[in-house]
Amino acid sequence: MKNLSLVILVLAAACTSTRQPASPPRNSIIVDGKIFTTVFQQRAAEYRALCYQAYNIAYLRLDMALASPHDKPLAIITDIDETVLDNSIYAARQALQGKDYESASWAAYTAEASADTVPGAFHFLRYASSQGVQIFYVTNRAANEKDGTLKNLIRFNFPDADEKHLLLKQESSGKEPRRHQVMEQFDVPLLLGDNLSDFSFIFDKQPVAERNAATNSVAAEFGNRFIMLPNPVYGDWESALFEYRYSLTPERKDSVLKSWLKTR
């Protein structure tokens, strides 16, 4: 009997030594925060209203551009994720597993081509296309996500959903070179995005204070040439708080987020 007990203890110790690290606690700010913000994106009528508000302004600005003289054909530059496609399903799946973003699971998700549309996006882009305006999708999705991305856009009959108009991430996540590529041939009266770096290089990888200062410096562009969509779930606003240290553990991220809170 003693020998049997010893064997059980040895086996238990072996299992413990090979056990995988536990998932981050479900009550962490990162996990609970992603759940809270994802529910807002999926269920809050206020989120839907903000999207409609952004696209309603886009209609007004586009009509003004169409009525004004321009030297080159018109084009719109738009981001994809949380600007025309809603990826809250991915965020929900990850959060319910106690996980944040992961490149492998993200690539598997985009390959499904299952994202829904952001409220107002489809009708606005179809209207723009009907007026002879070309649509360029400038996204930081990777090259291996091309097929799934096009399939998702084509699924909803988005205009210009082809390889020519899909500008994926290159060596750098900065979008400025791709924007210039479009602007060499087109006048671009509108840029659509949910992240400040969708509009200008002045926001790329900047600390929190500099991002706020840069936003103040171009305040007149928002609702004019820059059309901002809401995204409380992720983005450079979050990365800036972590000083772009993407490898931080969830526990460390929780600590950093608490340090940024204002209490007086």
Side-chain angles (χ1 to χ4, degrees):
M1 190 69 175
K2 289 182 179 179
N3 289 339
L4 178 60
S5 298
L6 181 60
V7 170
I8 292 173
L9 288 172
V10 170
L11 289 174
C15 291
T16 301
S17 66
T18 59
R19 186 177 298 156
Q20 296 298 313
S23 298
R26 291 302 178 93
N27 62 346
S28 73
I29 293 177
I30 286 295
V31 174
D32 285 357
K34 297 294 185 182
I35 290 174
F36 193 85
T37 53
T38 300
V39 169
F40 176 80
Q41 182 173 344
Q42 291 184 341
R43 302 300 181 185
E46 287 81 357
Y47 167 80
R48 183 171 293 271
L50 287 169
C51 294
Y52 286 138
Q53 177 175 264
Y55 279 110
N56 285 342
I57 294 171
Y59 278 105
L60 295 173
R61 297 305 184 191
L62 179 59
D63 283 344
M64 291 174 63
L66 289 167
S68 301
H70 40 274
D71 298 328
K72 294 180 280 190
L74 295 184
I76 288 172
I77 294 176
T78 182
D79 175 51
I80 291 181
D81 299 311
E82 276 47 74
T83 301
V84 298
L85 292 182
D86 173 353
N87 301 291
S88 59
I89 288 176
Y90 173 76
R93 291 177 185 174
Q94 291 295 104
L96 290 175
Q97 295 180 69
K99 297 177 181 179
D100 201 353
Y101 169 87
E102 298 170 318
S103 57
S105 61
W106 170 255
Y109 163 76
T110 58
E112 295 175 13
S114 60
D116 203 348
T117 61
V118 169
F122 170 75
H123 291 293
F124 171 71
L125 293 181
R126 291 299 300 177
Y127 171 73
S129 180
S130 75
Q131 301 302 305
V133 180
Q134 293 195 40
I135 313 301
F136 286 88
Y137 302 92
V138 179
T139 175
N140 276 338
R141 290 189 177 197
N144 63 354
E145 298 175 71
K146 180 185 69 175
D147 291 344
T149 301
L150 287 175
K151 183 179 178 181
N152 208 154
L153 293 172
I154 292 169
R155 172 188 170 193
F156 292 105
N157 200 29
F158 274 102
D160 296 320
D162 54 43
E163 292 190 22
K164 174 186 173 183
H165 291 86
L166 177 63
L167 304 182
L168 298 158
K169 182 179 177 180
Q170 300 169 335
E171 295 81 10
S172 167
S173 60
K175 294 183 173 181
E176 196 74 1
R178 285 171 281 167
R179 285 192 290 262
H180 279 304
Q181 180 181 331
V182 176
M183 292 175 185
E184 286 176 359
Q185 302 179 55
F186 298 88
D187 283 336
V188 179
L190 289 176
L191 296 97
L192 314 175
D194 66 298
N195 194 43
L196 288 172
S197 291
D198 293 328
F199 305 115
S200 172
F201 73 94
I202 65 173
F203 300 109
D204 290 351
K205 294 292 192 297
Q206 293 298 311
V208 172
E210 283 76 357
R211 294 182 90 244
N212 286 323
T215 302
N216 293 341
S217 72
V218 293
E221 295 284 14
F222 295 101
N224 187 3
R225 191 172 183 233
F226 299 164
I227 304 299
M228 172 67 76
L229 278 295
N231 180 2
V233 183
Y234 67 91
D236 283 350
W237 67 266
E238 178 187 28
S239 300
L241 297 176
F242 303 136
E243 297 179 341
Y244 303 95
R245 293 174 292 172
Y246 302 110
S247 62
L248 289 181
T249 64
E251 291 81 5
R252 180 62 182 139
K253 287 182 177 180
D254 285 355
S255 177
V256 171
L257 289 176
K258 289 177 181 177
S259 74
W260 279 101
L261 288 171
K262 290 183 178 180
T263 56
R264 64 179 61 189

